[in-house]
């Protein structure tokens, strides 16, 4: 069974940076095996928001709300997925989830109906 494990969350002041990581384990241990990997977030009382996606071939998509500040990437062997978050704002505060799918790749699909998702890591940005 595939499991995704996020790490790297924490508390920072506005303008700071964090890098989230996501590692896969289970029978499909390599992240490179997934057609689509991505991150979505959910703030308290809010809905899920797709943040960024990357396909097996390296094509990326980033939400307008984080464009120019967040970067999604895979490790050299794509065994680890990253989300580099710079110039963080208080409105970025949320639980961030790593997700994967083998059929479609979009900001909506990765947040609403991924085949796999992790437990989440909390990001808190103070003003």
């Amino acid at each position: 069974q595939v499991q995704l494990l996020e790490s790297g969350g924490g508390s920072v002041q506005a303008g700071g940076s964090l890098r989230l990581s996501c590692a896969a384990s289970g029978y499909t241990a390599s992240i490179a095996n997934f057609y689509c990997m991505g991150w979505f977030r959910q703030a308290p009382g809010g809905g899920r928001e797709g943040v960024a996606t990357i396909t097996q071939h390296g094509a990326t998509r980033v939400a307008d709300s984080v464009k120019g500040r967040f970067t999604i990437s895979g490790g050299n062997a794509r065994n680890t997925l990253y989300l580099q978050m710079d110039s963080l704002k208080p409105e970025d505060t949320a639980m961030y989830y790593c997700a994967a799918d083998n059929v479609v790749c979009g900001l909506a699909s990765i947040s609403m109906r991924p085949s796999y998702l992790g437990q989440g890591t909390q990001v808190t940005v103070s003003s």
Side-chain angles (χ1 to χ4, degrees), residues 8-12 18 20 85 88 92-96 121-125:
S11 297
V12 296
L18 285 173
L20 305 183
M85 304 186 297
L88 283 161
D92 294 320
T93 295
M95 186 72 80
Y96 283 72
T121 185
Q122 178 67 38
V123 171
T124 302
V125 185

Side-chain angles (χ1 to χ4, degrees), residues 1 8 21 56 71 86 97 110:
Q1 183 175 352
S21 300
Q56 194 174 40
T71 304
D86 299 317
Y97 297 87
I110 206 68

Side-chain angles (χ1 to χ4, degrees), residues 18-42:
L18 285 173
R19 189 175 80 158
L20 305 183
S21 300
C22 173
S25 62
Y27 79 92
T28 307
S30 173
I31 283 183
N33 289 337
F34 295 114
Y35 168 64
C36 181
M37 295 287 299
W39 296 90
F40 69 89
R41 65 188 181 184
Q42 187 165 20

Side-chain angles (χ1 to χ4, degrees), residues 75-97:
N76 289 336
R78 294 209 64 199
N79 288 322
T80 305
L81 183 73
Y82 301 104
L83 184 68
Q84 178 66 40
M85 304 186 297
D86 299 317
S87 302
L88 283 161
K89 303 176 181 180
E91 50 263 45
D92 294 320
T93 295
M95 186 72 80
Y96 283 72
Y97 297 87

